[in-house]
Amino acid sequence: MSRLQVAIVDYGMGNLRSVANAFKAVAPSISVAVTSDPEQIAQAERVVFPGQGAMPDCIRELDARHLRQAVVDATQQKPFLGICIGLQMLFEHSEEGDVPGLGVYQGEVKRFPADKMHDEQGAKLKVPHMGWSQVHQTQAHALWSEIPDLARFYYVHSYYVAPEEAALTAATTAYPFDYTGAIARDNVFAVQFHPEKSANAGLQLLRNFVNWKP
Amino acid sequence: MGCAKRIIPCLDVTDGRVVKGVNFLELRDAGDPVEIAQRYNDQGADELTFLDITASSDNRDLILHIIERVAEQIFIPLTVGGGVRKVEDVRRLLNAGADKVSINTTAVLNPQVVEDAASRFGSQCIVVAIDAKKVDNQPFEWEVFTHGGRNPTGLDAVKWAQKMVSLGAGELLVTSMDRDGTKIGFNNPLNKAISEAVDVPLIASGGVGNLQHLVDGVTLGGADAVLAASIFHYGEFTVQQAKDYMREHGLEVR
């Protein structure tokens, strides 16, 4: 088996075809595969860690497939892109189901607090936060290349990450308060939004990931 | 701050083609689904909805192939509905490339499907479609109808919406049966009543005839997203024109 350039970690939660389709669209010549083989993930040049659904289920399914170690190792070793729950799982703990995460970074995954979900005019803001919101880049990064600050990306989530260390945050989104929309540290970049569903801005971010040399 | 109000062109698909009817009748051919989807994407559509209105079960799988083709080329959220009866149908549509699956008649006949699908795949991909009509023979204003608007259910649309959210619906697609295809605007009082009764996003549907109707759907109806078919299919307006108009009227759009 030849070495994958991009391995998309499949732990049985949801459809990863969109992520694979988007990589094929931006980089037709590279090898991309959805895989639940820890060895293939260990060998891959780059790892994408997506996720949807509820975090307790994601953690359980990840462990059921013996993928936890391969994912944690990848965060230490190679270009790594977390998406949505794939960002949330990198933290220590989630309020969703009161479960521990992988603990790669210190911090908590929190639910949007019901008492704060209204805009300046007092209009109700819905949860899940579903739709296109502006992403404010708070640090320069190769993955933001060619993407204007405040470009809109597609979000769908009811929980958000609150890193203990503010310097981890690479972007914020206001809904209604500023929360962490992306994190960056060494070879890891992870986003709360869905680049694979964010039209041109999202495709550019995936293209940047493929070209990234951290 | 917040979220852009989404514009969602809706493609009614039967036997592999996009069609548009008036009051759920008189279908007219409007073109190839993949071509139309590409055009809307290029115009800046925030999301696309495909409703499979194929009557016979023989041609039901055609929608899967359409979704597969669209999902290979278009990178915005795709919602698919129509004829979803079992959790297995949800799984097949998601695997074909749908991001969300809309459940309508089955939600009424067998609400357990909504609960099971939400718990298995997550609320974020379960949309419950509610077809409602104003009635005067009930103790409430709007009644839920099924089977493309033919069958009354005796259910209060607002209470029904709350129940669907409690079972795990992550979004509601509310169609006014009185308005669908009429081009006289959304039923804003209906949408407002439901939007205020739930925390999840509401997509307004049924009755758009001009761009002001889209603005009204948000400002008067409290919709988080507006869905329209014919004004886009027949080239009366582009999605970009709709966005420009909404922006000029003070709404946040992408």
Side-chain angles (χ1 to χ4, degrees):
Chain A
M1 187 164 27
S2 67
R3 181 181 186 222
L4 281 176
Q5 284 163 291
V6 174
I8 301 167
V9 182
D10 179 13
Y11 47 95
M13 289 297 293
N15 170 34
L16 306 180
R17 188 162 170 171
S18 304
V19 180
N21 280 341
F23 274 106
K24 284 174 193 155
V26 298
S29 62
I30 67 165
S31 55
V32 177
V34 171
T35 177
S36 49
D37 174 5
E39 189 54 32
Q40 211 173 12
I41 293 163
Q43 296 297 324
E45 189 180 305
R46 295 161 197 276
V47 169
V48 178
F49 187 41
Q52 51 178 262
M55 184 159 141
D57 299 335
C58 289
I59 292 281
R60 189 189 65 233
E61 295 300 318
L62 190 70
D63 283 337
R65 288 167 178 74
H66 309 290
L67 289 167
R68 176 187 287 252
Q69 197 57 48
V71 169
V72 172
D73 288 348
T75 65
Q76 316 298 332
Q77 293 163 357
K78 57 185 85 183
F80 181 100
L81 177 65
I83 298 174
C84 193
I85 311 286
L87 159 71
Q88 297 181 3
M89 282 195 283
L90 300 179
F91 286 81
E92 289 171 303
H93 181 263
S94 178
E95 285 182 5
E96 186 176 23
D98 187 24
V99 290
L102 302 180
V104 176
Y105 303 109
Q106 292 185 318
E108 171 89 1
V109 183
K110 298 182 172 190
R111 186 168 170 94
F112 283 116
D115 59 334
K116 292 199 178 132
M117 301 318 288
H118 45 79
D119 65 15
E120 291 131 332
Q121 286 80 42
K124 180 160 76 173
L125 293 176
K126 303 296 183 71
V127 177
H129 169 213
M130 188 184 287
W132 299 78
S133 288
Q134 290 182 316
V135 171
H136 172 45
Q137 300 165 17
T138 55
Q139 51 171 287
H141 198 282
L143 266 73
W144 297 134
S145 175
E146 311 278 321
I147 298 171
D149 189 26
L150 300 179
R152 287 181 188 273
F153 287 83
Y154 184 76
Y155 280 93
V156 48
H157 63 126
S158 301
Y159 294 79
Y160 64 95
V161 299
E164 213 147 275
E165 192 191 338
L168 204 56
T169 296
T172 58
T173 283
Y175 192 76
F177 51 87
D178 286 341
Y179 68 88
T180 295
I183 64 161
R185 171 67 38 96
D186 304 327
N187 56 305
V188 174
F189 197 88
V191 295
Q192 181 61 63
F193 51 81
H194 287 270
E196 77 281 13
K197 287 289 155 184
S198 294
N200 290 341
L203 294 177
Q204 183 62 43
L205 189 138
L206 298 181
R207 195 176 291 123
N208 292 341
F209 176 70
V210 171
N211 296 326
W212 185 28
K213 295 180 181 67
Chain B
M1 179 190 69
C3 226
K5 299 301 174 185
R6 288 170 279 155
I7 297 188
I8 309 178
C10 177
L11 293 75
D12 286 348
V13 178
T14 185
D15 301 325
R17 298 287 291 179
V18 175
V19 291
K20 181 60 192 166
V22 177
N23 289 102
F24 282 65
L25 298 166
E26 297 174 46
L27 299 176
R28 284 203 276 163
D29 189 89
D32 174 65
V34 180
E35 272 174 36
I36 294 177
Q38 186 70 58
R39 185 164 77 232
Y40 290 149
N41 179 65
D42 294 346
Q43 291 175 4
D46 296 308
E47 199 166 316
L48 294 172
T49 289
F50 296 81
L51 287 181
D52 184 6
I53 56 170
T54 304
S56 75
S57 53
D58 331 348
N59 288 337
R60 283 233 165 260
D61 283 355
L62 283 176
I63 192 80
L64 296 174
H65 303 308
I66 290 169
I67 298 307
E68 282 171 7
R69 283 167 60 212
V70 172
E72 279 168 13
Q73 300 172 40
I74 292 173
F75 300 99
I76 57 177
L78 308 174
T79 300
V80 187
V84 175
R85 293 186 178 81
K86 310 183 292 277
V87 172
E88 173 62 14
D89 297 333
V90 176
R91 192 189 64 80
R92 283 171 12 123
L93 288 166
L94 294 175
N95 282 348
D99 299 287
K100 303 185 235 182
V101 172
S102 160
I103 306 177
N104 189 338
T105 295
T106 296
V108 174
L109 300 181
N110 186 5
Q112 188 70 37
V113 171
V114 172
E115 187 168 15
D116 290 348
S119 89
R120 176 141 168 224
F121 307 111
S123 290
Q124 83 289 342
C125 64
I126 304 301
V127 181
V128 169
I130 299 175
D131 292 345
K133 204 186 277 191
K134 188 157 172 74
V135 287
D136 47 23
N137 60 342
Q138 295 281 7
F140 46 78
E141 248 185 301
W142 299 285
E143 182 172 353
V144 178
F145 280 68
T146 60
H147 297 92
R150 290 192 294 276
N151 300 349
T153 62
L155 295 164
D156 173 351
V158 177
K159 290 212 174 85
W160 179 245
Q162 290 174 313
K163 179 175 178 192
M164 289 298 98
V165 171
S166 73
L167 290 185
E171 191 170 38
L172 300 172
L173 168 57
V174 180
T175 301
S176 165
M177 305 298 306
D178 315 290
R179 303 297 179 100
D180 196 56
T182 62
K183 295 177 167 282
I184 58 171
F186 294 120
N187 187 334
N188 293 314
L190 163 69
N191 293 335
K192 184 86 179 166
I194 293 179
S195 185
E196 285 183 348
V198 300
D199 287 331
V200 304
L202 179 143
I203 306 169
S205 157
V208 176
N210 62 46
L211 302 181
Q212 183 59 39
H213 292 155
L214 302 176
V215 172
D216 292 344
V218 174
T219 56
L220 305 178
D224 300 283
V226 287
L227 180 139
S230 57
I231 63 162
F232 299 133
H233 292 334
Y234 298 119
E236 289 167 64
F237 300 103
T238 63
V239 176
Q240 191 56 53
Q241 285 172 319
K243 290 190 152 181
D244 292 345
Y245 189 90
M246 290 170 76
R247 187 180 289 113
E248 284 159 18
H249 288 75
L251 299 182
E252 189 176 339
V253 292
R254 176 166 72 101

